[in-house]
Amino acid sequence: MDKNTTIINTIKQTLPSVTLLENEPMKNHCSFRSGGPVGVLALPADEASLLSLCALLKENGITPYLLGNGTNVVFPDEGAENLFVLCTGAMQSVRLLPGGEISASAGLPLSRLAAFALEHSLTGLEFASGIPGSVGGGVLMNAGAYGGELKDVITSVRCLDLADGTIHTLPASACAFGYRQSRFQNGGNIILSANVLLAPGEKEQIAARMKELNQRRRDKQPLDLPSAGSAFRRPEGYFAAALIEECGLKGTSVGGAQVSEKHAGFIVNTGNATTEDLRRLLTLVHDEVLRQKQVSLQPEIILVRP
Ligand SMILES: Cc1cc2nc3c(=O)[nH]c(=O)nc-3n(C[C@H](O)[C@H](O)[C@H](O)COP(=O)(O)OP(=O)(O)OC[C@H]3O[C@@H](n4cnc5c(N)ncnc54)[C@H](O)[C@@H]3O)c2cc1C
């Protein structure tokens, strides 16, 4: 924590545009609503302050853990006092470029990016309007739904290389996108912004498609309870939710974590679930599906190590 105390004082003195929260409980920032305090949670107001902050962290040998909207990640119950979490949540700029692409900052919610596309009668992002993550988290996960994935519309990603402090613009072809996969999962980069290219469309049709997909989400998914989205990745040739349901695991609980009664692919927090409850339930479901179906489910939820 000593390192963090020194850096906190320096940031307060030199970077007023970075909001700092000390010993901040991560349950306040993650959609599953679990997780103890981390040493520092920093929220730069914009990209310039993020870059200054990262230069300072690098000088002090601190590697930050990136947080977008916290909808796919959970932190340990006991917290992590030496962890410096950098949240992009305040970086929400979005603009239409002269060539027709949209440039969106990492912290912009995907729902806002989709709404911006609708405003400009551009089609191709309807699938993303109900995904609760940010552009940065969405790019890292290659978020997708209803047959669409971000990789279908992304043309390039700007990122900061944490090792040498350089900024690169990578074409989509260099991002190693796959099913819930990208090169950014190897760590070492902060996604700063992404460009997407959409096609001209009919505003009413785009709005109708978004409405329809969001209704499908409300009908099928347990949106009334905290969760971190799909608990497991889709295994090759199967659907995780169907396997879990066929194994009789719907409604199974560990502490406050429960395999949703509404959609077996989700694990919900029924009240006071801890991250440990979630971890144990993920293991229980994995082991039971392996025993009954000989399929090894891999978690989609990211569990940050203490
Ligand atoms: C109710 C619900 C429904 C969901 N539905 C879907 C769905 O339909 N499809 C889907 O794909 N997902 C879905 N999700 C999961 C989640 O919304 C997506 O994975 C989303 O892309 C995560 O974005 P985030 O900003 O919340 O990322 P976070 O959870 O904050 O972070 C996820 C990972 O990305 C990293 N990260 C975040 N920002 C950056 C950055 N700027 N640079 C580098 N690394 C970064 C983090 O370190 C972490 O490893 C759902 C989640 C919920 C709760």
Side-chain angles (χ1 to χ4, degrees), residues 53-126:
L53 175 63
C54 287
L56 201 59
L57 294 178
K58 188 168 176 301
E59 273 170 33
N60 287 272
I62 295 174
T63 305
Y65 184 84
L66 263 291
L67 183 72
N69 224 7
T71 62
N72 205 43
V73 74
V74 286
F75 287 78
D77 299 311
E78 64 273 33
E81 66 168 339
N82 286 317
L83 202 59
F84 192 108
V85 176
L86 201 176
C87 180
T88 57
M91 296 166 40
Q92 300 204 354
S93 77
V94 56
R95 65 206 162 96
L96 194 59
L97 303 177
E101 289 182 338
I102 299 173
S103 173
S105 284
L108 187 79
L110 289 169
S111 57
R112 293 250 332 264
L113 177 59
F116 185 86
L118 168 65
E119 227 172 86
H120 292 85
S121 301
L122 293 168
T123 180
L125 266 172
E126 292 86 333

Side-chain angles (χ1 to χ4, degrees), residues 31 65-73 88 106 110 130-145 180 189-192 217 221 223 227-230 266 300 302:
S31 60
Y65 184 84
L66 263 291
L67 183 72
N69 224 7
T71 62
N72 205 43
V73 74
T88 57
L110 289 169
I131 301 178
S134 66
V135 166
V139 167
L140 182 122
M141 292 302 292
N142 181 26
R180 302 294 175 269
N189 285 287
I190 296 182
I191 296 156
L192 299 171
R217 242 175 225 282
Q221 299 182 0
L223 301 185
S227 79
S230 296
F266 280 66
E300 184 165 315
I302 299 165

Side-chain angles (χ1 to χ4, degrees), residues 179-247:
Y179 168 69
R180 302 294 175 269
Q181 203 86 50
S182 76
R183 68 177 282 162
F184 306 105
Q185 290 174 11
N186 296 336
N189 285 287
I190 296 182
I191 296 156
L192 299 171
S193 62
N195 282 11
V196 299
L197 184 62
L198 306 172
E202 284 293 325
K203 203 174 215 169
E204 292 71 28
Q205 280 177 18
I206 299 167
R209 178 75 176 147
M210 285 181 180
K211 200 170 161 207
E212 179 211 332
L213 294 182
N214 287 328
Q215 187 57 50
R216 270 162 75 176
R217 242 175 225 282
R218 283 191 294 275
D219 290 345
K220 292 261 164 63
Q221 299 182 0
L223 301 185
D224 52 332
L225 288 171
S227 79
S230 296
F232 295 97
R233 290 166 176 266
R234 193 176 59 228
E236 190 93 33
Y238 299 92
F239 288 103
L243 289 172
I244 295 167
E245 192 166 350
E246 284 162 27
C247 289

Side-chain angles (χ1 to χ4, degrees), residues 146-167:
Y146 306 112
E149 289 177 297
L150 282 184
K151 78 171 175 58
D152 303 337
V153 293
I154 286 176
T155 52
S156 63
V157 176
R158 268 178 72 250
C159 59
L160 173 74
D161 184 328
L162 282 167
D164 62 12
T166 53
I167 294 176

